[in-house]
Every structure is written in C-alpha cells, then in structure tokens.
Amino acid sequence: MVNEDPNQQERDDTPAPESSLREDPSVSAHPSVSIHPSVSVQPSSSAHPSALAQPSGLTQPCGSSPEDLSVIKVSKRRWAVVLVFSCYSMCNAFQWIQYGAINNIFMHFYGVSAFAIDWLSMCYMLTYIPLLLPVAWLLEKFGLRTIALTGSALNCLGAWVKLGSLRPHLFPVTVLGQVICSVAQVFILGMPSRLASVWFGANEVSTACSVAVFGNQLGIAIGFLVPPVLVPNIKDRDKLAYHISIMFYIIGGVATLLFILVIIVFKEKPKHPPSRAQSLSYALASTDASYLSSIVRLFKNLNFVLLVITYGLNAGAFYALSTLLNRMVILHYPGEEVNAGRIGLTIVIAGMLGAVISGIWLDRSKTYKETTLVVYIMTLVGMVVYTLTLNLGHLWVVFITAGTMGFFMTGYLPLGFEFAVELTYPESEGMSSGLLNVSAQVFGIIFTISQGQIIDNYGTMPGNIFLCVFLTLGAALTAFIRADLRRQKANKETPENKLQEEEEEGSNISKVPTAISENHV
C-alpha cells in the first residue's frame, strides 16, 4: 500500500517513480472514481491516488491494517459463519409460520378470529418497516457480530416468552412473544447479502447468499411440517395446551443452543478482504456516511427502484400465500391440516432447491437480469397453474403444482438480494437488502389482508387471481430493469488494465507523478 503523502515527496525533493505506481495495486484499487457515479470523490483524491489510502479520511476495517487491504484471501471460517447464521434464521422463520400452519387449531384454543391469528404472522411484516433504518444504522455502526448476537438473543427471548401463554385467556402473552421474535427478524433479513460480501470471494457470493437465505426458507418449511404433527386437532383444551407446550419447549431449546453457537462461532469479518470489490468497499467507507444521503442515492437509481417494486410484489405474494395456505386447503379438503402443512413444506423445499440452483448459476454466468426475468415469468406461470388446480379435488395434483410454483417463487428471493447489490454497489448491502425487505413487508401486509377478505367473501380462486394480476405487473416491470452490474465491473478491473486506461485517457492520476518528475528534472 502507498503510505507516503505525495506532498511530502515534493517537500523532500524525492521524485515519485512511475514504476511504483505500476507495481502497487492500491493505486488501481479504486475504480469507483470512473465507474461509480454515486460515489462522491473530492478533486484532490482524483489528482493524488495515494490519498485514497490515507487513514485520516477513510475508515479501515477493525483489526485490519492498511497492508491487509492489498491481500485478497478467503477465510476458512466463512462457511461456519454462514451456516450458524442460516440456522438461527431458520429458527426465527419457523416461529413466523408456526401459528399460520395450524390456524384453525389456535383459533379454537385461544377463542379468537382467523384475522387475529393472521396478525401473528403479519406482525413480522409490520415491525420491519419502522425498524429498518435504526437496525441498518446499527449494522454499519457496530458490525455483523453485534447484529447477529442481538438478533439471536431476541429470537431466543421471544421463544421463551411464548411458554407463558399456555392458557386460552393468555393470547396477549403469545402476541408479545411473537412481537419480540418479529423484532429479531429485523436483525436477520437484511444480512444475507452483507454476510456473503464480507466473507466470500467474488465467485462465491451468490452461492453464499443463497445458503444464507436457504436457512430462512428451511425454517418456513419446518414451520409448515412440524406444528400439524406436534399439535393435533382435538377439542380438549387442556390436552391441546400440553401439545402446544411441547412445540414451544422444543423451539425454546433450539433457539438457546443457537444463541450460544453465535457467541462462539460468529466473528465480525475475516482478516483479509475476500474480493477486490470488498477491499474497495472498505477503502471507500466514509467516517461521516449519511444514511439519508445513501437512501437518496438509492432512490435516484431507477433500476434499483424498479427492483424494489418487483421484489416486493413477488415476496409479498409469497408471504400472503404462506399465511393463508392452511385456510385455503382446509376449505377444499376439510380435515387435512397435516397435508396442508405438507403442501407448504413442498412449496418451500422446492424453493430452496431453486434458490441454490439460482445462486450457483449466477456465480457461473453473471446473467442477473436474464435469470431474474425468467424466474419471475415462471413464478407467474406456476401461480396460474396452482390457481386452476387447487379446487379439482385431487391433493396429489396440488402437491405437484404448488411445488412447481414454489421452485420459482421462493427461488427468486436470493436473486433479488444479489441483483440489488450489483445495481447499487458500493452502497451498503444492508441498506439495499433492507429496502427490498420493506417493500416485501408492505406488499405482504396488503396482499394478506386483501386476499384473506377475498377468500372469505368470494372463495379461493378469486383470491389467487388477485395475486396473479400483481405478479404479471412485476414480471412486466422486471423487463425494464437495465443490468448495470457495478460490483462485477469492480471485480473485473485489474491494476494493469486500470493504469493502461488512465494513460490512454490522459487522466490526472497518471499525470501527477510525471509532472513531479519533470519539475525535479
């Protein structure tokens, strides 16, 4: 790294050799000067490339010296970190859907309406919206480890609070526990893309992001499968309380174990940046970064705004479908609570497979726009087929069509995260992912309430057609997104190519050392 001030070189009458610029990768480690219009660079920085390495103006990563930034190396710990995150994300997602999976049973136990039970799922969506910016600020201020500890601790606390709600008149206590878990979710949902960028190399980030999202989807899958098995549909409330307590104790124990694992395994960041793009993001981090200005820049990015809308439409449809699935299946197949859970499991398991395949495909092809559009269109096709086959009276047909829809619908979720990071680099991954999730929560609440009312008044088919209309709109808007892959541009630039481009363009960066040498001559 360049550690000397070029002004000091002038004062000491020591010429700056041109060869040193060619050999030093830090000179070209800042392509944002030419390819990232969203980054504000002072004129002095463009005139003196070495100024970009000055610690006084930039924030270096904790525990990393300036020399560490010149070494690109992946850490062996990275897979352990992402797996632990994936597991406690799974635990939190299970708690989101555990009530909706057996909606009718909890209605009977607590003596409340279906809409009240729906709110136990929708509170996850509601709390995320006002808490996004505070948690995004905490993520940038205190880092990944602090956010991971807070999220897993709140998830554990909420699980144990629910154990105090094992009487029919204690519905407010279970609401409190669920709200605590919903706050924990705010510390979880925005982390996959940030975690992947900080810990994984350029050819692994999409796969790692898929693994991180995989845990959340697995939790939803288990949430569909396990509650109908542990809590049978019986009339005796005392026996019902016993079965519910088993489920609550299991999830409380798992949440506690995962909190301990986070304390032991989870670290803030690796010693060396795993990719050139991550090294650049360290160097470009400003000590006075403004979240308001970051949001303004993001919303000036038309491609990102379109992605926010389309992602929200797709994810919101998935949230509504997951929340109301038990109600829809029971209407057409009475007494099939277990199979309703298995259909939900099929949707999510197929989506997990789709997410992993999508992540691997993105790492190999880098075709973000094309892949996203194809998956979105297939989501719409799957939703239409599911809508037309739900009321045929054959459960095996519903399993097939629901699985096909889930493969694309939930497989789309990590695609949206990674596409957003590409479109907004070098902005914070936590901020871009957070805004995607806010859109998903807003549309999720709107779709869940609206589709629930349509189902109650007109039936399941009009309710599903309602979602198909908005998925059609999302697919059309996705076609207008331009694939401005900024992170890929940063990773592809090499020191030699960068210096050659600067010489050809006659940039100030290449002229400054030459001018100094001529003056001394």
Side-chain angles (χ1 to χ4, degrees):
M1 296 296 288
V2 180
N3 293 317
E4 295 181 358
D5 184 0
N7 295 327
Q8 182 66 39
Q9 291 178 346
E10 286 190 279
R11 288 193 296 269
D12 295 341
D13 291 333
T14 304
E18 291 183 47
S19 60
S20 65
L21 291 175
R22 297 179 183 274
E23 295 172 357
D24 193 341
S26 65
V27 174
S28 62
H30 305 283
S32 57
V33 174
S34 59
I35 68 172
H36 300 301
S38 62
V39 180
S40 175
V41 182
Q42 299 298 328
S44 59
S45 297
S46 61
H48 301 283
S50 59
L52 291 171
Q54 296 300 324
S56 60
L58 299 168
T59 300
Q60 301 291 353
C62 299
S64 295
S65 63
E67 288 76 17
D68 289 334
L69 296 181
S70 65
V71 179
I72 306 300
K73 183 179 180 181
V74 294
S75 169
K76 294 180 180 179
R77 182 186 286 268
R78 67 193 187 281
W79 290 110
V81 170
V82 78
L83 286 175
V84 168
F85 168 80
S86 188
C87 287
Y88 79 79
S89 176
M90 172 191 70
C91 181
N92 183 261
F94 174 90
Q95 298 193 76
W96 167 58
I97 204 63
Q98 68 181 153
Y99 295 99
I102 46 176
N103 183 290
N104 57 322
I105 295 176
F106 277 108
M107 284 171 57
H108 166 67
F109 180 73
Y110 288 115
V112 296
S113 66
F115 189 63
I117 300 298
D118 288 345
W119 268 110
L120 290 175
S121 296
M122 288 191 291
C123 72
Y124 263 61
M125 309 173 201
L126 187 63
T127 55
Y128 190 90
I129 299 169
L131 293 180
L132 165 66
L133 288 180
V135 172
W137 179 83
L138 290 173
L139 177 61
E140 296 299 323
K141 183 72 174 178
F142 298 104
L144 284 171
R145 177 174 167 82
T146 300
I147 296 301
L149 287 171
T150 305
S152 57
L154 288 171
N155 184 63
C156 179
L157 175 62
W160 288 108
V161 167
K162 292 176 187 178
L163 278 164
S165 66
L166 296 174
R167 291 289 181 270
H169 66 282
L170 294 176
F171 182 69
V173 178
T174 210
V175 171
L176 175 62
Q178 190 73 343
V179 169
I180 294 173
C181 291
S182 72
V183 176
Q185 176 222 212
V186 186
F187 290 83
I188 294 171
L189 280 189
M191 284 184 65
S193 56
R194 176 63 175 268
L195 195 67
S197 295
V198 169
W199 281 91
F200 288 83
N203 294 324
E204 298 174 327
V205 286
S206 296
T207 302
C209 185
S210 297
V211 171
V213 175
F214 179 93
N216 194 270
Q217 295 173 328
L218 180 60
I220 298 172
I222 297 173
F224 276 119
L225 177 66
V226 172
V229 174
L230 293 180
V231 186
N233 189 3
I234 55 179
K235 299 299 180 183
D236 190 325
R237 289 189 175 182
D238 290 333
K239 292 182 179 179
L240 200 54
Y242 169 74
H243 290 289
I244 293 174
S245 70
I246 293 176
M247 180 172 68
F248 284 172
Y249 270 114
I250 291 174
I251 197 65
V254 171
T256 303
L257 174 62
L258 290 172
F259 176 56
I260 295 171
L261 284 176
V262 170
I263 295 174
I264 297 172
V265 175
F266 215 97
K267 299 299 181 183
E268 176 59 34
K269 58 171 66 72
K271 181 178 179 182
H272 303 289
S275 67
R276 282 181 51 77
Q278 189 60 27
S279 178
L280 293 176
S281 69
Y282 287 159
L284 290 169
S286 174
T287 54
D288 59 350
S290 167
Y291 288 92
L292 182 59
S293 63
S294 177
I295 293 173
V296 170
R297 287 194 299 271
L298 287 174
F299 278 104
K300 285 182 179 179
N301 186 334
L302 179 60
N303 296 311
F304 177 68
V305 171
L306 289 173
L307 182 63
V308 167
I309 296 171
T310 57
Y311 183 91
L313 292 172
N314 190 303
F318 170 68
Y319 291 160
L321 195 69
S322 301
T323 302
L324 302 173
L325 182 65
N326 173 268
R327 195 190 307 184
M328 286 191 284
V329 173
I330 295 301
L331 281 175
H332 293 289
Y333 306 92
E336 295 287 355
E337 290 87 2
V338 174
N339 275 323
R342 289 172 180 168
I343 291 171
L345 173 69
T346 303
I347 291 174
V348 182
I349 291 293
M352 289 158 52
L353 178 62
V356 172
I357 292 175
S358 297
I360 295 173
W361 171 254
L362 283 184
D363 279 332
R364 292 180 179 272
S365 68
K366 310 301 181 187
T367 54
Y368 289 85
K369 161 71 179 291
E370 296 81 357
T371 304
T372 301
L373 181 59
V374 169
V375 170
Y376 214 120
I377 292 173
M378 293 307 299
T379 297
L380 172 61
V381 173
M383 185 69 196
V384 170
V385 174
Y386 168 78
T387 300
L388 297 175
T389 57
L390 180 61
N391 60 355
L392 293 182
H394 302 290
L395 265 176
W396 65 270
V397 175
V398 179
F399 272 94
I400 294 174
T401 57
T404 303
M405 175 188 65
F407 179 87
F408 297 104
M409 179 175 278
T410 56
Y412 169 84
L413 301 182
L415 285 178
F417 282 139
E418 282 300 288
F419 199 13
V421 174
E422 291 292 339
L423 294 175
T424 61
Y425 178 86
E427 301 291 350
S428 166
E429 298 92 341
M431 185 62 72
S432 62
S433 298
L435 291 174
L436 289 184
N437 283 321
V438 165
S439 177
Q441 315 306 329
V442 171
F443 282 113
I445 293 173
I446 295 172
F447 289 169
T448 301
I449 295 175
S450 301
Q451 190 185 15
Q453 293 299 314
I454 294 172
I455 290 173
D456 290 341
N457 294 310
Y458 303 104
T460 57
M461 182 171 288
N464 287 327
I465 291 175
F466 168 80
L467 294 184
C468 291
V469 171
F470 285 98
L471 287 175
T472 303
L473 175 62
L477 291 176
T478 300
F480 289 99
I481 300 176
R482 186 170 62 88
D484 180 18
L485 306 182
R486 300 180 178 184
R487 184 173 64 177
Q488 292 303 316
K489 292 177 184 176
N491 279 325
K492 286 179 181 178
E493 290 214 8
T494 62
E496 293 79 8
N497 292 340
K498 180 65 180 173
L499 189 58
Q500 183 178 359
E501 290 174 5
E502 289 168 345
E503 288 175 345
E504 291 174 353
E505 296 171 2
S507 66
N508 290 332
I509 295 177
S510 62
K511 286 183 177 180
V512 169
T514 306
I516 294 173
S517 301
E518 290 174 352
N519 288 339
H520 285 293
V521 171

